[in-house]
Amino acid sequence: MELIMNTIMSKTLPFAALALSASVCNGAEKEKNGKTAKTNILVILADDMGYSDMGCYGGEIQTPNLDRLAQNGVRFTRFYNAGRSCPTRASLLTGLYPHQAGVGRMTFDQHLPGYRGTMTHNGVTIAEVLKESGYHTGMIGKWHVAETPLRPDQREWLAHQVYHEEFAPKENYPTYRGFEDFYGTIYGVVDYFDPFSLVNGEEPVREVPEDYYSTNALSDSAVAYIKKYAASDKPFFIYLSYHAPHWPLHALEEDVKKYEDVYKAGWEAIRNARYERMEELGIFDDYTDYLTNRQSKKEWESNPHKEWDARAMAVHAAMVDRMDQGIGKALKALEDAGEMDNTLILFLSDNGCSPEVCQNYSPGENDRPDMLRDGTPMIYPKNKEALPGPETTYASLGPEWANVANMPFRFWKAKMYEGGICTPVIAHWPAGTDLKKNSVITDEPCHIIDIMATILDITHAEYPEEYNGNAIIPYEGKSIFPILKTGERERHPFIGFEHFNEKALMSNDGWKIIQPGKKAGWELYNLNEDRTEMHNVAAENPERLARMISQYEEWAKRTMVFPAPD
């Protein structure tokens, strides 16, 4: 009977959730003992989600749970990330700029201080700080901040046909960086139906149930973590890091069906409709005529692949939809535990939507499998010969839909224009927000480095000068708590960006410089008047440009951008 019950449960909960559920089912209730409970923290990170994908930012994708958080919280229109997945994650976790955190580029060691490919031990994570302060700390999902060296049998390893104990050095796993519980993947890209590098704690998960889907498994684990932690006397910090909607385009067919006709209208029609909804919502209330030109000259009417492209965006929407459904489960678990009001929830995306055409990549390399576990070939539809969605295909949106997803901005992931680095952020915390109306939209500029500072501010946790024998770099961020209380705060003097020779610096008076490539000239934009960077005014403002370039160079030297790889 026990074996039968375990088999039934394994169809509905991932292994981490099963392990946690056992400790919750003892009828224990959280005792407050008449004391004021410390604030819980839930940080939810989407992967490659576009700026306007959510309903509350103008999108047509059904995101009722995120919309509810926005309706009763604060939406940020100028919250910045680090341009790509792993640098953003390193920065979020440490409160340092990505290069200071050791992940200036990807998870490969380039033997320079800012480019070690794994998080430095001269920084501390939010989990390490809060664990010392008496918090439960749990992480679910995509890690992607540890060096992942390649093996000679990488192709077979990706397809689960050979076994290795470590996907990265274990001292760089979440459980060695302050998280008492972890269920998720060490690498960045996954087959959603059978993920590579999946671990529970530190142990590799050798097999998953037949009906496994990553987003469901992560959501169910989040519910289990909340139930377990809420049953104790301690507050909790949970970092829920979804894979969705990063390529490959893998979704459950029941979700795809909701959108199978929506995107047949084409790129321009969907983009214009989002723009109109954004105007109605007042996302950029102080601006008019802020829709940029598309970065592609392709027209939908002459597109020979309408069916494939409409299906691709429908799968992307389904992936976001399923993530929102899972977030709804986590919110219900908080409500059932009586912890909703006393939990700061931050939702954001790690960067802009991706323009990558992954079907042109070389399969069987790095983190891209070329076959399933049973040897069935994985189709990379270079000529769009196989529709995306099922596990047997590996495909991505491409630049046209990425431009739509990042509307109204120019460009996309890995670029330092707003389409790459400006992320949608929702903050929800009923017990800590004093703003007069329920739904607030703020244009106060913030950065991913501010999350550590915010959590330190509201939890009164101590940030160490030394940790595990390592001198710790002071964190760079400023708390956003004053914005949640009053709507404004003292701004950073400037915020800097660099990724693969894409450079930018933003001053506290609303001006921004960009150098889009090593050999490109510097551009200058006045975001106070030109929110979407349509008018380069570098030639008209040479003194300001020179001053900001000098500030960028000083920032880059201080934050380990220099020396940089070739």
Side-chain angles (χ1 to χ4, degrees), residues 178-384:
F179 289 100
E180 63 186 85
D181 295 303
F182 171 63
Y183 175 80
T185 59
I186 302 300
Y187 273 59
V189 177
V190 301
D191 171 348
Y192 284 72
F193 300 96
D194 193 3
F196 174 70
S197 77
L198 184 65
V199 300
N200 182 16
E202 299 164 24
E203 295 300 316
V205 176
R206 302 288 291 266
E207 294 181 351
V208 296
E210 289 184 7
D211 60 351
Y212 187 95
Y213 184 67
S214 164
T215 305
N216 286 344
L218 302 185
S219 300
D220 289 343
S221 289
V223 170
Y225 280 34
I226 290 167
K227 288 181 178 179
K228 175 191 178 184
Y229 297 157
S232 82
D233 291 332
K234 297 166 64 174
F236 57 82
F237 164 59
I238 295 175
Y239 172 37
L240 174 53
S241 175
Y242 283 104
H243 301 112
H246 192 291
W247 55 266
L249 291 168
H250 283 169
L252 301 175
E253 195 61 31
E254 63 190 87
D255 295 327
V256 179
K257 285 185 180 299
K258 297 181 187 179
Y259 303 96
E260 59 185 356
D261 294 324
V262 173
Y263 299 104
K264 292 177 181 178
W267 308 305
E268 196 73 15
I270 298 298
R271 194 164 179 263
N272 289 341
R274 288 191 177 195
Y275 179 61
E276 291 175 5
R277 280 192 295 272
M278 191 170 277
E279 284 187 316
E280 293 172 4
L281 291 169
I283 298 296
F284 298 126
D285 212 21
D286 295 333
Y287 303 88
T288 58
D289 189 26
Y290 51 83
L291 180 61
T292 57
N293 294 327
R294 291 171 56 219
Q295 268 64 70
S296 172
K297 295 183 179 179
K298 290 183 179 179
E299 299 296 334
W300 185 258
E301 291 308 314
S302 58
N303 176 19
H305 302 293
K306 289 190 185 72
E307 180 186 7
W308 195 96
D309 285 322
R311 166 79 181 190
M313 189 60 188
V315 175
H316 173 86
M319 295 166 81
V320 174
D321 187 314
R322 178 59 58 164
M323 177 178 65
D324 183 84
Q325 293 177 49
I327 291 169
K329 293 180 182 179
L331 299 183
K332 185 177 186 303
L334 286 172
E335 290 168 342
D336 290 347
E339 297 289 354
M340 189 69 173
D341 286 356
N342 194 42
T343 299
L344 169 62
I345 302 172
L346 292 173
F347 174 86
L348 65 158
S349 180
D350 62 349
N351 45 248
C353 188
S354 172
E356 294 163 279
V357 183
C358 78
Q359 47 266 40
N360 290 333
Y361 291 164
S362 298
E365 296 182 0
N366 191 14
D367 49 12
R368 302 182 294 269
D370 66 349
M371 58 182 165
L372 304 185
R373 187 184 289 261
D374 64 2
T376 302
M378 188 83 76
I379 300 171
Y380 284 64
K382 294 184 178 182
N383 300 311
K384 300 186 175 180

Side-chain angles (χ1 to χ4, degrees), residues 485-557:
K485 297 288 284 185
T486 67
E488 59 185 21
R489 68 165 183 180
E490 181 184 352
R491 296 180 176 182
H492 293 274
F494 50 78
I495 300 169
F497 305 84
E498 192 279 337
H499 187 60
F500 280 97
N501 295 309
E502 288 263 344
K503 305 170 184 176
L505 183 129
M506 188 181 310
S507 64
N508 62 5
D509 60 356
W511 289 74
K512 178 181 175 184
I513 57 170
I514 303 172
Q515 187 182 40
K518 204 169 187 177
K519 297 182 180 179
W522 283 95
E523 301 171 6
L524 175 66
Y525 298 93
N526 181 358
L527 299 183
N528 301 305
E529 301 172 357
D530 181 19
R531 182 66 180 83
T532 52
E533 304 167 320
M534 290 190 276
H535 307 289
N536 176 13
V537 293
E540 297 93 319
N541 297 273
E543 292 183 2
R544 178 182 286 274
L545 178 65
R547 182 170 68 252
M548 292 184 70
I549 291 173
S550 177
Q551 288 176 324
Y552 172 82
E553 290 173 349
E554 291 175 7
W555 168 84
K557 290 175 183 176

Side-chain angles (χ1 to χ4, degrees), residues 19 52 76 111 123 163 205 238 240 278 293 337 396 438 440 445 448 501 525:
S52 62
F76 292 77
H111 306 289
Y163 173 82
V205 176
I238 295 175
L240 174 53
M278 191 170 277
N293 294 327
S396 57
N438 290 334
V440 175
I448 200 82
N501 295 309
Y525 298 93

Side-chain angles (χ1 to χ4, degrees), residues 88-251:
T88 290
R89 290 158 201 273
S91 198
L92 184 159
L93 284 163
T94 63
L96 303 174
Y97 281 107
H99 308 79
Q100 293 173 303
V103 191
R105 290 192 177 175
M106 305 300 290
T107 53
F108 298 103
D109 190 354
Q110 297 185 275
H111 306 289
L112 290 169
Y115 305 88
R116 299 311 303 262
T118 195
M119 279 196 306
T120 179
H121 289 275
N122 294 114
V124 287
T125 68
I126 296 169
E128 287 170 329
V129 171
L130 290 185
K131 192 173 185 180
E132 293 289 328
S133 190
Y135 272 69
H136 286 300
T137 56
M139 184 192 164
I140 305 116
K142 175 175 171 175
W143 183 233
H144 203 206
V145 285
E147 185 189 0
T148 50
L150 304 181
R151 296 179 180 269
D153 57 359
Q154 190 78 6
R155 179 174 176 269
E156 292 77 16
W157 195 27
L158 290 169
H160 311 282
Q161 295 180 351
V162 297
Y163 173 82
H164 296 289
E165 179 68 21
E166 292 187 351
F167 297 101
K170 281 192 176 178
E171 63 265 24
N172 297 321
Y173 275 31
T175 48
Y176 283 81
R177 297 310 307 262
F179 289 100
E180 63 186 85
D181 295 303
F182 171 63
Y183 175 80
T185 59
I186 302 300
Y187 273 59
V189 177
V190 301
D191 171 348
Y192 284 72
F193 300 96
D194 193 3
F196 174 70
S197 77
L198 184 65
V199 300
N200 182 16
E202 299 164 24
E203 295 300 316
V205 176
R206 302 288 291 266
E207 294 181 351
V208 296
E210 289 184 7
D211 60 351
Y212 187 95
Y213 184 67
S214 164
T215 305
N216 286 344
L218 302 185
S219 300
D220 289 343
S221 289
V223 170
Y225 280 34
I226 290 167
K227 288 181 178 179
K228 175 191 178 184
Y229 297 157
S232 82
D233 291 332
K234 297 166 64 174
F236 57 82
F237 164 59
I238 295 175
Y239 172 37
L240 174 53
S241 175
Y242 283 104
H243 301 112
H246 192 291
W247 55 266
L249 291 168
H250 283 169

